[in-house]
Amino acid sequence: MISAGIDVSAKQLETVINRNGTSISTPITFENDAKGHQAILKVLQKRKVQRVCVEATGVYHLDLCVLLDGTGIELMVLNPKAAKQYADVMMKRSKTDGIDATLLAGYAQHMPFSPWKKPNPHRSPIP
């Protein structure tokens, strides 16, 4: 399986692609804007990525996830606490965007898959 991990920040998306548990790319950085989202989608499709794991980061991951939804790429949005616990289990104490993206790609391959569901635009917010 080919998976990708995407570490999200307000301004950038750090991406690592894995094949069967081995990184096949160095971290690739994209801007966290519409142009960057299109660029990352193009790379994911070119590399035939089947599954993407993104750590939930406030609202900064949402636009990218909405774009990826419906592309045929399986998408999982991971709770930051689960990502930290996975890093602890993998004994990764260093914290960089590239390391986080690599861990997320590994999580996508080794842990049970929980698909992300796009929010319903017609649902009113809770008062």
Side-chain angles (χ1 to χ4, degrees), residues 4-8 52-58 61 65 75-87 100-109 111-117:
I6 302 175
D7 184 65
V8 179
V52 172
C53 184
V54 177
E55 184 177 352
T57 310
H61 68 285
C65 292
L75 176 63
M76 177 173 18
V77 177
L78 190 60
N79 181 302
K81 188 172 185 177
K84 182 183 180 329
Q85 289 173 341
Y86 183 74
D100 288 349
T102 300
L103 285 167
L104 292 169
Y107 191 99
Q109 289 195 345
M111 301 303 288
F113 178 71
S114 178
W116 180 76
K117 293 185 175 106

Side-chain angles (χ1 to χ4, degrees), residues 27-40:
I28 308 164
T29 304
F30 300 90
E31 294 301 313
N32 193 357
D33 59 18
K35 186 176 177 182
H37 298 165
Q38 289 297 326
I40 200 168

Side-chain angles (χ1 to χ4, degrees), residues 11-50:
K11 295 183 179 186
Q12 294 184 323
L13 304 165
E14 193 80 22
T15 306
V16 171
I17 300 172
N18 278 357
R19 177 181 290 129
N20 300 325
T22 303
S23 292
I24 60 172
S25 76
T26 58
I28 308 164
T29 304
F30 300 90
E31 294 301 313
N32 193 357
D33 59 18
K35 186 176 177 182
H37 298 165
Q38 289 297 326
I40 200 168
L41 176 59
K42 191 174 184 178
V43 168
L44 295 174
Q45 289 174 330
K46 181 179 179 183
R47 300 267 181 114
K48 297 182 179 12
V49 171
Q50 299 156 296

